[in-house]
Amino acid sequence: MAQNSTHGQEESPVDVLADFISECTYDDVPDAAHETVVRAITDTVGVTLAGTRAGSSEIVTEFTTGHSSGDGFPDPSAAETDADIAELALAYGTASHALDYDDLSWAMDGHPSVVLLPPILALTDRVDPTGEEVVTAYAAGFETACYVAAPISPSHYEAGWHATSTFGAFGATAVAASLLDLDMETTACALHVAASTPAGTKENFGSMTKPIHAGLAARSGVTAALLAADGFTAGDGTLNGSRGFWRLYGPETEDDVEVPTAPTSDGWLLERRGIHIKRYPACYFTHSSIAATRSLADEHGIVPTDVERVVVEAAGGAGDALTYERPTDALQSKFSMQHAVAVAIASDRVSLGEFTDEAATDDRFTQLYPRIDFEVDESMSYDSHAARVTIETADGSHQTVREHPPWTHEHPPTTDELETKFVETATRAITESAAHRAFEALQSLPSRRLSDVLAPLVGSDR
């Protein structure tokens, strides 16, 4: 249990979180948030299945389980010990983020589902959760990660931390604590343990280490919850203490840390800020530029040979994340504005096939790289996702501004669009018919047991 967590003083931020997590029920979560969670989980199952085929996932799955990841999901029933469950979370998390095709939310400045779903998958055999319990745990984890992020975002990300892994460790802990039905005191202890685990530098973007950030955060959350359940102890003040997370990972002076109000006291962030589904398999900072480029190309009939110069202007966050002007492999191409825009001009689709090792060196795209200039517009807020694209051709200059990427929380994909993406991704590991059945099952997740939904995805139905 956490040692004297409040010293007789007012409730600490960790205690506030622990109370929220341990008391949260399915009926507490608004109906609109139920829909958001089901959509996010559905999308993430698909990208995770596809991710099992990625090199980073294959290596991590072999490392953690001793088995190949090529046959779909690692089997949660193979976990015989708590340590096995934690390692499964690492494998699932790495696979889910391997292709950078997963959702994100600016309420936590990162990718929520790749740290919230893996603990659920890893604990499935241990707790056999209902769909309602899965939705509840996910919702509690999301609100927890956002609560931790609130006082120090976006400066935390701007300083070089990968928020998915840092804030995600707390969210993953909340998910595991919810599924394990830990009481408030034990949940608080788990969060205090988790506070010593966050890490992840943006310098590793464009490599296999970026996706393992999600896996490590998921593993940290599961580990923290299981250790707390076994009576492990931790300090107090791990969020707002003088040497706590917010002071170490955020502003330089304690006065800069404004402790948030209790989660959901101002409404559920799942409703207010929500989750954005990715339309394209690349860094989200490229998405407005891709959509803007395609709209110009379609409107003016622009083909690669017409292009004399392209100027893309985006925010400082994009400048920090998109560091590969001349990518040489699939991972780098996902963090290259030049590659993203070249694909938008030269290809009929912007899908997984355009972000492979082969595509990164394909003449169709590389011949355009020298003609594409990416500039940071200092007038934009650091984490803006707006983009201004200008394409110069012999016929003149064509410009457009796109404020938001496609498929934001406010304008999500239709069910048909989501299913199309799900089938595109899931069929990297299972058959098309199995993918359609899995999609249908996931859409009715709250009325099912998760083990029944996952069963066809682990094994030979492919």
Side-chain angles (χ1 to χ4, degrees), residues 86-154:
E87 292 302 296
L88 270 180
L90 171 59
Y92 284 128
T94 304
S96 65
H97 201 37
L99 299 176
D100 232 283
Y101 207 178
D102 51 281
D103 62 35
L104 69 157
S105 175
W106 297 119
M108 66 166 284
D109 269 343
H111 303 261
S113 293
V114 295
V115 292
L116 303 180
L117 182 59
I120 295 170
L121 299 176
L123 285 163
T124 294
D125 194 62
R126 167 69 66 87
V127 300
D128 193 21
T130 66
E132 290 188 357
E133 290 168 337
V134 167
V135 171
T136 303
Y138 183 104
F142 180 87
E143 299 293 328
T144 295
C146 295
Y147 178 94
V148 175
I152 59 174
S153 289

Side-chain angles (χ1 to χ4, degrees), residues 2-93:
Q3 297 173 346
N4 194 24
S5 61
T6 62
H7 294 299
Q9 301 175 5
E10 64 182 54
E11 200 172 30
S12 74
V14 166
D15 290 331
V16 169
L17 278 175
D19 181 55
F20 163 71
I21 296 162
S22 61
E23 296 295 326
C24 185
T25 68
Y26 182 77
D27 290 337
D28 292 330
V29 184
D31 289 344
H34 292 163
E35 295 178 15
T36 297
V37 172
V38 169
R39 181 168 57 240
I41 289 176
T42 300
D43 179 64
T44 308
V45 168
V47 299
T48 304
L49 283 166
T52 63
R53 296 285 188 171
S56 58
S57 177
E58 290 176 346
I59 293 170
V60 170
T61 300
E62 179 73 28
F63 178 81
T64 56
T65 70
H67 301 289
S68 168
S69 65
D71 295 327
F73 281 151
D75 187 355
S77 67
E80 298 179 355
T81 67
D82 287 354
D84 292 338
I85 294 174
E87 292 302 296
L88 270 180
L90 171 59
Y92 284 128

Side-chain angles (χ1 to χ4, degrees), residues 161-353:
W161 294 104
H162 185 194
T164 299
S165 52
T166 52
F167 304 142
F170 294 94
T173 302
V175 168
S178 176
L179 286 181
L180 293 167
D181 197 25
L182 303 185
D183 62 26
M184 176 184 170
E185 190 175 8
T186 310
T187 299
C189 178
L191 292 168
H192 286 307
V193 174
S196 284
T197 67
T201 169
K202 284 159 59 180
E203 286 293 338
N204 268 315
F205 282 17
S207 75
M208 288 185 180
T209 302
K210 183 176 190 277
I212 206 176
H213 287 174
L216 292 169
R219 183 176 69 178
S220 292
V222 171
T223 300
L226 291 171
L227 287 174
D230 286 342
F232 210 71
T233 63
D236 53 21
T238 57
L239 275 182
N240 66 326
S242 62
R243 294 180 177 86
F245 178 84
W246 285 330
R247 287 276 285 132
L248 292 173
Y249 289 74
E252 294 181 1
T253 63
E254 193 167 1
D255 290 341
D256 290 333
V257 179
E258 183 176 346
V259 177
T261 57
T264 74
S265 60
D266 295 325
W268 286 74
L269 286 167
L270 273 168
E271 280 193 300
R272 292 195 291 115
R273 302 287 299 279
I275 296 173
H276 310 314
I277 303 296
K278 274 195 175 182
R279 176 66 182 84
Y280 311 120
C283 176
Y284 200 58
F285 279 115
T286 68
H287 285 218
S288 291
S289 300
I290 291 172
T293 301
R294 289 185 69 80
S295 69
L296 285 177
D298 291 343
E299 180 181 354
H300 301 285
I302 298 170
V303 297
T305 53
D306 297 331
V307 175
E308 295 181 352
R309 183 174 182 240
V310 180
V311 178
V312 182
E313 298 167 89
D320 280 354
L322 307 174
T323 57
Y324 295 95
E325 295 183 11
R326 302 291 185 270
T328 58
D329 60 29
L331 291 167
Q332 292 181 5
S333 74
K334 293 173 180 290
F335 295 89
S336 169
M337 185 68 87
Q338 284 74 15
H339 185 78
V341 170
V343 167
I345 294 171
S347 181
D348 293 335
R349 310 180 61 209
V350 183
S351 61
L352 287 170

